[in-house]
Amino acid sequence: MSMLHDGVGKGAFGELSRFRGEFYDCLIRRGDALFELTDAVLCADGPVRSLVELSLVGEHRRGHGGLYAALARGRIDVDHMRRALTAVPLPRAADGRLVLAVDITCWLRPDAHTSPERILCHTYGRGKDQHIPVPGWPYSVITALETGRSSWSAPLDARRLAPGEDAATVTAQQLRELVQRLIDAGQWRAGDPDVLVVTDAGYDVPRLAFLLRDLPVQVLGRMRSDRVLRRACPPRPPGTRGRPPRHGGEFAFGDPTTWGNPDTRTVTETRLYGTATARSWDRLHPRLTHRSAWVVDTGTLPVIEGTVIRLDVDHLPSGATPRPVWLWWSGTDATAADADRLWQAFLRRFDIEHMFRLFKQTLGWTRPKIRTPEAADRWTWLILAAYTQLRLARPLAADLRHPWERPAPPERMTPSRVRRGFRHIRRKTACPAAAPKSSRPGPGRPPGRKNTTATPRHDVHIVGKTDTKTPPAKKNPQVIHPRPRRTG
């Protein structure tokens, strides 16, 4: 570790120790056991496959009973934890802008019939490439993205969606609170570029931009290829009577005759995608008709104008046939440089998938068979704290690679490689957890007496609905050609 003796290494050690101290202060009840459990996740050899195996790691000085009791009856100050995550150094784009990616990932629990508040989560590519709803706990996660090709990101917040909650409303409230914490922590100041929020097609991007219109935030998201937007109304001739129209002509994504000439057009040569062509059209908005989701004080549905960007590439790294990507940006009057910056920022959104894969396959986020959602929330925050420590230890880790792996410079180290050397880094950082005290095990259940209390079972809910009944499946489904969506 060549960087341990210079100023960069000392600053990195100080930042890592400071966060570990803040993290320990967030653990209100059974903090020592929860803190050592997090260190066991970071110092375990290989991927985490079960909770009981973590009790055998040398950094975990307590038994497996204390481990389960900490998750079941521990307590974490979530507000303090959120402030600690926003206080660490965050990655930024090339222009100094904060780029936030928001997505929903699911902790699937199909066989946990005694676990409450499970929701049908849509999974992709399971079985014969089918979209199958599986019961589980969905979590809305917000991360800060880096610039350039990287598998790193900075998780800042996570919230489990409860039955009956709307994903757009929850995400808007989550982003509003996060932006305020970033401002309080000094991560954003007056005069800085607006924070860019990047979403995928599962979010209603215009509605999200409308809910965050009073914040220094810009929203960029992908839209379905069958959407139909409206242009701005042309100026009315003088002397025209009647009610003025609110919508102009149609702009159908699937009908090139409605596009007209683009306002900007750029061609960029890329290494992974070949020639990337981006075209943008200014001041396009959806025609809103569903008043149930658009509750405003004035009673008039708003007109939310933005910029539409169409991205076409020659080929994909996977070899699949490329399809055009339609993006909607909440800003207007976009230049050619803005269009290039936006579609490149959208491609960086997929870095969050690397983080989710590390959570589930290496750190063991979805491995424990936890019964209550409260314990699942505690385990989720421990995983976020563990990943943040890996990110802060990035300039300190040595390249402990396998013989078949290529050497990697410090700036190209992956989270898995940093985790291999975290056990050596941990010895030089602050470890506020106290040593365990000797105690006797409890009496437990008397011999020969069975548990006569049956655990209650809970139904599975549907996202966005309060009822628990699953709609009946259609018999003999027919292939229906998609039609353009002419409403918002």
Side-chain angles (χ1 to χ4, degrees):
M1 289 185 273
S2 60
M3 301 180 65
L4 298 183
H5 303 290
D6 55 10
V8 177
K10 294 180 180 179
F13 267 120
E15 189 65 33
L16 178 59
S17 298
R18 187 198 64 80
F19 177 77
R20 287 170 63 86
E22 287 286 337
F23 171 56
Y24 182 78
D25 294 338
C26 299
L27 309 177
I28 301 177
R29 183 186 302 165
R30 296 182 181 267
D32 296 333
L34 293 175
F35 189 87
E36 291 190 355
L37 176 59
T38 308
D39 280 352
V41 172
L42 292 170
C43 300
D45 296 330
V48 176
R49 304 192 182 279
S50 65
L51 283 178
V52 68
E53 292 180 358
L54 293 178
S55 63
L56 303 178
V57 180
E59 285 71 15
H60 190 274
R61 299 174 291 180
R62 289 161 173 82
H64 64 278
L67 184 149
Y68 284 104
L71 284 180
R73 296 186 291 273
R75 185 180 175 186
I76 300 177
D77 188 351
V78 177
D79 294 336
H80 190 179
M81 185 68 190
R82 289 187 170 116
R83 293 192 298 270
L85 291 176
T86 55
V88 299
L90 300 180
R92 297 177 182 270
D95 57 351
R97 185 191 308 267
L98 282 172
V99 181
L100 305 180
V102 56
D103 201 358
I104 294 179
T105 182
C106 301
W107 184 342
L108 302 181
R109 299 300 308 276
D111 300 329
H113 303 287
T114 59
S115 297
E117 300 184 10
R118 291 185 303 157
I119 301 176
L120 285 180
C121 306
H122 292 280
T123 58
Y124 304 95
R126 301 177 68 90
K128 297 181 179 180
D129 197 15
Q130 298 177 353
H131 298 180
I132 304 175
V134 179
W137 291 317
Y139 280 84
S140 176
V141 182
I142 303 178
T143 63
L145 301 179
E146 290 191 359
T147 182
R149 296 180 58 196
S150 174
S151 59
W152 289 90
S153 58
L156 299 177
D157 193 15
R159 178 175 175 180
R160 178 175 49 85
L161 297 180
E165 289 185 337
D166 180 64
T169 305
V170 171
T171 303
Q173 183 64 25
Q174 194 177 9
L175 285 169
R176 180 176 296 276
E177 296 174 357
L178 175 59
V179 171
Q180 185 60 45
R181 289 195 300 270
L182 291 173
I183 295 175
D184 296 339
Q187 301 285 3
W188 187 92
R189 296 181 176 88
D192 293 345
D194 291 344
V195 179
L196 181 62
V197 178
V198 186
T199 68
D200 205 3
Y203 292 87
D204 190 352
V205 190
R207 185 186 176 197
L208 195 60
F210 177 78
L211 295 176
L212 302 176
R213 63 190 183 277
D214 58 333
L215 297 177
V217 168
Q218 298 177 359
V219 182
L220 173 68
R222 183 166 65 95
M223 281 189 167
R224 293 168 54 98
S225 59
D226 60 348
R227 292 294 298 269
V228 176
L229 302 184
R230 293 301 186 99
R231 301 180 185 273
C233 292
R236 300 184 67 188
T240 304
R241 297 183 178 181
R243 182 178 180 181
R246 304 182 71 242
H247 311 286
E250 289 186 347
F251 185 96
F253 290 177
D255 188 2
T257 60
T258 62
W259 298 351
N261 295 327
D263 295 319
T264 63
R265 184 179 185 274
T266 60
V267 179
T268 308
E269 294 295 333
T270 63
R271 187 179 65 88
L272 296 178
Y273 306 100
T275 303
T277 304
R279 291 172 287 177
S280 68
W281 293 265
D282 193 26
R283 297 191 180 278
L284 297 176
H285 64 274
R287 181 180 179 180
L288 307 178
T289 58
H290 302 289
R291 294 180 178 271
S292 60
W294 292 88
V295 180
V296 293
D297 298 335
T298 60
T300 303
L301 294 175
V303 175
I304 308 172
E305 293 184 337
T307 302
V308 171
I309 302 174
R310 175 188 166 101
L311 176 64
D312 297 277
V313 298
D314 288 342
H315 54 80
L316 298 177
S318 61
T321 303
R323 297 180 181 180
V325 177
W326 292 93
L327 305 176
W328 188 89
W329 179 48
S330 59
T332 56
D333 301 328
T335 61
D338 291 335
D340 280 341
R341 175 179 59 85
L342 291 172
W343 70 260
Q344 292 175 12
F346 175 78
L347 294 183
R348 294 269 63 82
R349 192 207 70 85
F350 294 98
D351 293 342
I352 195 175
E353 303 297 338
H354 299 285
M355 186 189 68
F356 290 155
R357 187 180 297 111
L358 181 80
F359 281 4
K360 297 179 181 181
Q361 297 181 1
T362 303
L363 301 183
W365 176 47
T366 58
R367 287 291 184 175
K369 305 301 180 182
I370 297 176
R371 175 178 296 179
T372 63
E374 293 78 13
D377 294 342
R378 298 186 193 99
W379 177 246
T380 301
W381 284 110
L382 296 185
I383 296 298
L384 262 64
Y387 184 87
T388 303
Q389 295 182 54
L390 289 179
R391 192 172 62 85
L392 296 177
R394 184 178 175 183
L396 306 172
D399 188 11
L400 303 179
R401 62 186 181 90
H402 295 300
W404 56 85
E405 294 178 339
R406 295 181 179 179
E411 64 274 6
R412 300 295 300 173
M413 294 273 288
T414 61
S416 297
R417 289 201 186 187
V418 174
R419 180 172 174 263
R420 294 174 191 171
F422 190 85
R423 174 172 291 172
H424 307 287
I425 301 173
R426 175 185 173 275
R427 300 172 182 173
K428 299 183 179 181
T429 60
C431 295
K437 299 178 181 179
S438 58
S439 61
R440 295 182 179 180
R445 187 182 299 120
R449 180 178 297 181
K450 297 182 179 181
N451 185 10
T452 58
T453 304
T455 305
R457 292 173 173 256
H458 303 273
D459 296 330
V460 181
H461 302 267
I462 303 176
V463 178
K465 296 184 179 180
T466 56
D467 57 343
T468 59
K469 296 182 179 180
T470 305
K474 296 182 179 179
K475 297 182 179 180
N476 300 327
Q478 299 178 356
V479 178
I480 301 176
H481 298 283
R483 298 181 177 179
R485 299 175 59 190
R486 283 176 164 76
T487 61

